Amino acid sequence: MATMTDYQYYFLCFLLYFLSTLLLKSLFKTKNPLNLPPSPPALPIIGHLHLLGPHLFKSLHNLSSKYGPLLYLRFGATRCLAVSTASIATEIFQTNDVTFSDRPPLAFSDKLPFGRYGFFIAPYGNYWKFIKKLCNSELLSARQVEQSRAVRHEELTWFLRKVLESAERKQVLDIGAELMKLTNNSSCRVIMSTRCSDDNDEAERIRQLVKESFEVGAKKAIDVGLRYDEILERVLKQHEESPQIENEDLVDILLKVYQDDKAEFKINRTHLKAFLLGKKRDI
């Protein structure tokens, strides 16, 4: 008599679990107490993943055409809303923006030196709105972008010169690494008027901290944050002692807002460091 293999056994268990789940759901099905939007039939565990094809936008369009412009979807343990009309998007992002625009905090954000003051993890509210407004009106304004043209031109010239020198000497050059340096140096000079990819101790410390930021856990994240704080405090003091009038960088602009007692939102030194830390991680 043939015996059942492990593969057949596990498959049979999964099949029985699947059929039992469908049966129990059909027997004890009740009205949704959360009053959720319409939702296509879902499978146990994977939810609606089986309804997605290779082109996500086409799959969502087909679902919205069948079930309506606002859908409740579940992908594994992740739940989301699919919005396909401008009127409903307006309801979500304008009329009910406070409800939908917040984001869950990191598990250990309250223990970090800068807490939840970073622009990308700050809770939706007056502080986040003020920083967003500051970015649009000052940090990313046409005047500030034009002012950084000379910096970007210098860094691009430096990059092209290094490429030509390597070609003349017939040396191998890692273009990807050099492009990364170009981006880092351009961003750092716009933010705090210093290069982050030079061969010096400060640049190396910044590079190492950025690398560690993506690798550490909760305990070490606190230590990395404190080391960031040391560098950022030194940068802030340098700009306070020698402010630039004509060629203001991002730190100069933030310090002006920090020192303005009549500002729409009074930011403190922790706000400054958290915002700069978020910008450095972008690069």
Side-chain angles (χ1 to χ4, degrees):
M1 181 177 179
T3 58
M4 184 181 296
T5 65
D6 290 344
Y7 175 79
Q8 292 172 326
Y9 173 77
Y10 290 128
F11 177 76
L12 181 61
C13 289
F14 176 79
L15 184 61
L16 290 174
Y17 167 77
F18 178 74
L19 294 175
S20 300
T21 302
L22 292 180
L23 180 61
L24 290 173
K25 287 186 67 175
S26 63
L27 291 175
F28 299 99
K29 188 174 182 180
T30 57
K31 291 185 178 180
N32 192 342
L34 298 179
N35 194 27
L36 295 172
S39 181
L43 294 177
I45 301 177
I46 66 172
H48 299 101
L49 281 174
H50 66 291
L51 299 177
L52 301 182
H55 302 290
L56 180 60
F57 68 96
K58 290 184 179 180
S59 301
L60 293 178
H61 173 72
N62 293 334
L63 289 174
S64 64
S65 299
K66 185 175 181 179
Y67 296 99
L70 181 64
L71 294 177
Y72 169 74
L73 300 175
R74 181 171 61 84
F75 305 124
T78 302
R79 292 164 172 77
C80 65
L81 293 176
V83 180
S84 57
T85 64
S87 59
I88 295 181
T90 301
E91 284 290 319
I92 290 176
F93 293 110
Q94 290 187 7
T95 308
N96 299 287
D97 59 328
V98 175
T99 302
F100 288 95
S101 297
D102 203 1
R103 56 194 67 80
L106 295 175
F108 50 87
S109 60
D110 293 338
K111 298 180 181 179
L112 295 176
F114 307 119
R116 293 189 67 192
Y117 292 126
F119 180 66
F120 295 104
I121 64 172
Y124 186 78
N126 293 333
Y127 167 69
W128 188 88
K129 290 181 179 179
F130 175 73
I131 291 297
K132 179 183 177 183
K133 181 179 178 181
L134 181 64
C135 288
N136 292 333
S137 61
E138 292 288 345
L139 307 181
L140 301 177
S141 65
R143 177 183 61 83
Q144 195 65 19
V145 172
E146 180 63 27
Q147 184 172 296
S148 67
R149 182 190 295 270
V151 170
R152 290 182 279 116
H153 181 268
E154 288 179 12
E155 292 299 329
L156 183 59
T157 301
W158 180 88
F159 166 74
L160 293 175
R161 184 183 297 118
K162 188 164 186 178
V163 172
L164 290 174
E165 289 176 354
S166 298
E168 291 175 353
R169 298 173 183 173
K170 297 182 180 180
Q171 295 178 336
V172 177
L173 184 67
D174 188 341
I175 295 295
E178 294 304 322
L179 286 173
M180 182 63 70
K181 289 182 181 180
L182 170 64
T183 304
N184 289 350
N185 285 329
S186 300
S187 301
C188 280
R189 289 187 63 185
V190 171
I191 293 173
M192 55 184 182
S193 300
T194 186
R195 305 180 89 233
C196 293
S197 294
D198 285 335
D199 295 326
N200 57 55
D201 293 339
E202 189 80 341
E204 180 57 32
R205 289 183 66 190
I206 293 175
R207 285 198 299 269
Q208 191 62 29
L209 284 173
V210 172
K211 181 181 178 180
E212 289 184 31
S213 297
F214 294 98
E215 299 175 351
V216 299
K219 291 183 179 181
K220 198 170 181 181
I222 298 174
D223 177 63
V224 171
L226 293 173
R227 287 153 62 191
Y228 264 123
D229 181 78
E230 179 187 347
I231 294 177
L232 293 174
E233 183 62 32
R234 183 160 56 251
V235 170
L236 291 175
K237 287 183 178 179
Q238 289 173 351
H239 280 69
E240 286 175 326
E241 295 171 357
S242 303
Q244 299 186 43
I245 306 301
E246 296 182 357
N247 298 317
E248 291 181 323
D249 57 24
L250 187 148
V251 175
D252 291 314
I253 295 174
L254 290 175
L255 282 173
K256 284 172 58 178
V257 177
Y258 165 69
Q259 296 165 353
D260 185 4
D261 295 329
K262 298 181 180 179
E264 180 180 335
F265 186 95
K266 184 61 177 175
I267 60 177
N268 56 39
R269 220 166 180 81
T270 302
H271 292 140
L272 292 180
K273 294 174 183 177
F275 185 81
L276 292 173
L277 179 58
K279 288 297 180 183
K280 285 185 179 181
R281 285 182 175 175
D282 291 342
I283 61 176

